Amino acid sequence: MFLVKGGMLVDPAAGIKAVRDILLQDGKVVEIGEHLERPEGAEVYDATGKLVTPGLIDMHVHLREPGLEAKETIASGTRAAAMGGFTSVCCMPNTNPVTDSLALVEAVQAISKRDGAVRVFPIGAITKGSQGQELAEIGDMAQAGVRAVSDDGKPVARAEIMRLALEYAKMFEVTVVSHCEEQSLAGDGVMHYGPMSAMLGLKGIPAAAEEVMVARDIILAEAAGAKLHIAHISTRGSLELVRAAKARGVNVSCEVTPHHLSLSDEAVSGYSTSTKVNPPLRSWDHVSALRQGLADGTIDCIATDHAPHTIEEKAVEFGAAPFGLVGLETAVPLIMELVRNKELDIERAVAALSSNPARVFGLPGGTLQPGSPADLTVIDPDLELVLKPEDLRSQGKNSPFLGTELKGFPVLTMVEGQVVMRERNLLAD
Ligand code: DOR
């Protein structure tokens, strides 16, 4: 038994924002109350002055296993998740081989069970090998528990394949997650197209490269009556398309990353390859549209798109480096900064990191109502840290936030009643 006492419970799905005690037993939430007595033998965690939230869910990470273990493993990626306050992660299929079959999904599930510090939900590929030509075994993967499919990183170029994928996904009740990028428009761009790219002499990726695909996929999802989730939305125009689609009842949701909310293309001016990410960091006008879209509920979820790469891969000139940055261990303080600046209220922030991703993918958790899984995160809103590469538990050190003072870190991560991180120490080792 475990009693979390005196914290500010923020559970948007239950409509609670109040100081509460929470009793956990046998992997479940047992009771919530204003003053709960400590039962005989219960361990007590004093959460006074801290925020207590449902275990955070990151619906978009890259764990790189199997095949790309030099970048990350399920063991290291889930430890980074635990440090970041995440109790569940959904991992993208751009592994090697691509997670596009029942056998591969089961392999990822088995490794996760053996090595994982938090819950792992594999996302299956939309097409075989994410080659965009032939549908993957969506039905078989759904049988194995896959809740979403995506060719993340490799957008489905052929509209007919996307249409078919949406039809199948509907049949098997899975969500299609679309990395929206029209490749002839994106070309070999390496950053956002605009005055900054011109000034830095780097090739740009226009906002339209994303927006054209968002429009296409919304039209296809609407026609199929299927569930579409737009990954890492990054432009004002994409947001307007989603807002209009939602208004007319299309089953579409979307996510935004902490880096697209916190940084603009100005961050690229030092040519640090840790700022090279796809979709690219956009101009401040897009950033402010994203903040607004999150605050008004058009954006459902916050997801990190945690994309670890090796130091060697990133230690090259900007144009040659792979896209991606690590996000699991900095997401919470970056979002807490928006909360402190009153750009986002805490209920929306927590919903976007827990109940909304649970709802979009149909995952367990997302609330601490009695009977729910004992997946819980405690955040110290006042804890300030300057992260160094060696502090990151991810193998990937490609974070643009290293050396920056960040405030508001998770101090307890509990998965199914087991403490996996406490006071910034991992207990899952
Ligand atoms: O920056 C990115 N990195 N964007 C993607 O879509 C893929 C990801 C990766 O796998 O490295």
Side-chain angles (χ1 to χ4, degrees), residues 62 64 94 152-153 179 232 277-279 305 307 309 323-325:
H62 300 267
R64 307 300 195 200
N94 59 343
D152 184 72
H179 167 121
H232 41 50
V277 64
N278 192 14
D305 193 10
H309 294 291
F323 289 99
L325 56 88

Side-chain angles (χ1 to χ4, degrees), residues 113-390:
K113 210 163 165 205
R114 191 191 65 199
D115 298 348
V118 305
R119 299 179 199 259
V120 175
F121 298 96
I123 293 175
I126 295 176
T127 63
K128 289 195 176 149
S130 287
Q131 293 299 308
Q133 301 300 323
E134 225 184 309
L135 287 187
E137 297 170 10
I138 296 177
D140 284 355
M141 293 191 292
Q143 291 286 319
V146 159
R147 309 295 311 141
V149 289
S150 181
D151 275 356
D152 184 72
K154 287 205 173 159
V156 179
R158 288 175 55 200
E160 171 59 3
I161 295 283
M162 192 54 154
R163 190 190 71 77
L164 273 176
L166 286 158
E167 295 281 358
Y168 270 81
K170 184 184 174 197
M171 202 147 71
F172 297 112
E173 295 178 7
V174 305
T175 304
V176 173
V177 179
S178 180
H179 167 121
C180 289
E181 184 180 351
E182 205 290 320
Q183 281 174 317
S184 70
L185 287 170
D188 49 6
V190 293
M191 70 173 290
H192 175 58
Y193 174 83
M196 267 322 273
S197 63
M199 219 163 78
L200 297 174
L202 293 171
K203 276 200 182 152
I205 302 172
E210 176 173 308
E211 292 157 0
V212 163
M213 284 300 237
V214 172
R216 182 200 78 173
D217 288 352
I218 285 174
I219 290 167
L220 293 173
E222 188 169 14
K227 204 166 147 195
L228 173 70
H229 179 76
I230 311 285
H232 41 50
I233 197 163
S234 76
T235 81
R236 181 181 285 277
S238 299
L239 202 63
E240 277 160 17
L241 288 162
V242 170
R243 194 174 278 133
K246 283 186 165 187
R248 60 177 195 276
V250 182
N251 199 348
V252 59
S253 54
C254 64
E255 70 190 32
V256 65
T257 72
H259 48 275
H260 288 110
L261 290 166
S262 303
L263 295 177
S264 77
D265 56 353
E266 287 173 13
V268 181
S269 61
Y271 296 94
S272 161
T273 58
S274 289
T275 63
K276 183 175 175 184
V277 64
N278 192 14
L281 300 172
R282 303 284 185 187
S283 61
W284 282 118
D285 178 56
H286 292 291
V287 175
S288 78
L290 296 174
R291 289 180 184 176
Q292 178 60 40
L294 183 60
D296 72 22
T298 306
I299 298 177
D300 306 81
C301 304
I302 298 168
T304 68
D305 193 10
H306 178 80
H309 294 291
T310 65
I311 291 170
E312 294 75 19
E313 286 167 310
K314 280 287 200 179
V316 294
E317 66 168 281
F318 196 87
F323 289 99
L325 56 88
V326 289
L328 280 166
E329 292 167 84
T330 50
V332 167
L334 292 175
I335 299 306
M336 290 303 289
E337 184 172 354
L338 296 178
V339 172
R340 269 196 312 278
N341 293 343
K342 306 219 175 325
E343 298 206 56
L344 184 63
D345 63 49
I346 187 69
E347 292 95 327
R348 274 220 195 272
V350 173
L353 285 162
S354 59
S355 51
N356 289 352
R359 171 177 52 79
V360 169
F361 284 173
L363 303 174
T367 179
L368 289 169
Q369 290 276 73
S372 306
D375 289 10
L376 172 148
T377 303
V378 179
I379 298 165
D380 180 348
D382 300 318
L383 180 59
E384 290 181 356
L385 294 171
V386 178
L387 290 181
K388 302 183 288 302
E390 59 272 25

